[in-house]
Amino acid sequence: GTTWTQEIVDLIQNEGDVDLTQRAPTHVSFPFIEWIIPSIGSGLEQANAMPSPRTLKTHLPFQLLPPSFLERNCQIIYVARNPKDNLVSYYHFHRMNKPLPHSTVWARFCQRTALAGHLEISLGQHFHTLHHTQRCFHLRTVYSVHQDMYLNPKHEIWKLGEFIGKKLDGSVLGKIVHHTSFDVMKQNPMANCSAVPAEVTDRSVSPFMRKGAVGDWKNHFIVAQNERFDEDYQRRMAGTSLIFHFQF
Ligand SMILES: Nc1ncnc2c1ncn2[C@@H]1O[C@H](COP(=O)(O)OS(=O)(=O)O)[C@@H](OP(=O)(O)O)[C@H]1O
């Protein structure tokens, strides 16, 4: 849901002006701070060259964020997704992302990443939500949860607007809902990640915007994987107030 949220935030900041959000691909408008791609450069340098206020992207877990994020009282939009759907999406992302360790077989990916806790995936532990919810209760943080955006996009976009400090009227809200719907975004070359260089992604293996659905995990997990996952989930997420629903 990160790219989705980025497009929503861009439209909120530009008060629904679609032409303005077409100025550049997402990774150019929003520096991805831990990203270094030879043909694009370093996200950190890109961020440093930008005037404030800047909107940045990171996949770093909370404890690895630069301390200035807290010292300077940055606003944080934390994007989370039902971890089963997230794992499935990640699996397909790994298949099409050339620099990442290749894992062609779902059963192996599922076993090694989520269940055995190996750091085979690019961004470390699959569950970093717990750390986050425990540590930043008092910070300027809002949660943007994929399934909530999917089920009630208008409300979630309104909520993000309030957080950012933009009052969105009904027509702007409707416009943002439309332009950030899966089908419209998938056709938008500035928002669908098709501008990411071919040295990084091979979209012939799997498109970046693949399904965007809630509940696709049911097409991948077998019963035993699901049971193991549930056990792990209970253990790792005990104590967090963030609730995901799996029954779709
Ligand atoms: N508009 C919209 N609606 C619904 N879903 C959307 C949308 N935009 C992106 N997506 C889905 O988000 C998944 C990619 O996640 P991220 O953007 O977080 O990936 S990234 O790590 O930041 O590159 C990936 O999910 P899957 O399709 O399930 O693989 C995208 O399709």
Side-chain angles (χ1 to χ4, degrees), residues 19 33 46 54-55 82 93 116 118 121 131 141 150 182 197 224:
D19 291 340
I33 57 173
Q46 191 189 338
R54 299 164 297 177
T55 308
N82 159 342
F93 183 68
H118 285 268
I121 53 177
H131 257 294
T141 301
Y150 187 86
F182 183 84

Side-chain angles (χ1 to χ4, degrees), residues 9-185:
V9 167
D10 206 11
L11 278 160
I12 292 173
Q13 288 170 333
N14 289 297
E15 288 160 23
D17 187 330
V18 176
D19 291 340
L20 275 178
T21 60
Q22 291 287 319
R23 68 196 177 286
T26 316
H27 66 268
V28 175
S29 306
F30 294 79
F32 185 4
I33 57 173
E34 65 269 26
W35 202 21
I36 303 175
I37 305 288
S39 61
I40 296 180
S42 138
L44 193 58
E45 283 170 11
Q46 191 189 338
N48 284 335
M50 259 187 176
S52 286
R54 299 164 297 177
T55 308
L56 311 174
K57 165 180 174 176
T58 181
H59 280 319
L60 293 174
F62 190 71
Q63 64 274 23
L64 296 181
L65 288 181
S68 60
F69 274 46
L70 306 184
E71 292 157 9
R72 306 270 176 92
N73 207 19
C74 290
Q75 285 183 287
I76 298 175
I77 298 173
Y78 190 98
V79 183
R81 190 174 189 183
N82 159 342
K84 294 181 191 174
D85 280 338
N86 196 28
L87 194 66
V88 168
S89 175
Y90 225 172
Y91 165 65
H92 292 288
F93 183 68
H94 262 248
R95 291 172 54 232
M96 58 92 77
N97 192 301
K98 294 181 187 168
L100 295 181
H102 202 52
S103 198
T104 45
V105 182
W106 158 251
R108 184 165 184 274
F109 183 86
C110 182
Q111 168 63 30
R112 284 183 60 80
T113 54
L115 303 182
H118 285 268
L119 301 183
E120 189 182 4
I121 53 177
S122 61
L123 306 161
Q125 290 280 351
H126 189 58
F127 294 92
H128 56 72
T129 321
L130 181 55
H131 257 294
H132 191 83
T133 50
Q134 282 172 334
R135 288 198 189 195
C136 68
F137 215 49
H138 57 291
L139 298 173
R140 297 173 78 199
T141 301
V142 71
Y143 283 89
S144 173
V145 180
H146 185 280
Q147 71 199 23
D148 297 340
M149 301 203 293
Y150 187 86
L151 295 173
N152 196 351
K154 206 169 200 166
H155 178 264
E156 293 305 305
I157 293 169
W158 172 84
K159 190 179 80 183
L160 288 176
E162 291 284 304
F163 180 70
I164 291 169
K166 293 267 187 195
K167 292 251 176 270
L168 305 173
D169 67 31
S171 80
V172 172
L173 257 180
K175 215 169 169 186
I176 300 178
V177 170
H178 173 74
H179 282 283
T180 58
S181 66
F182 183 84
D183 291 340
V184 175
M185 241 182 90

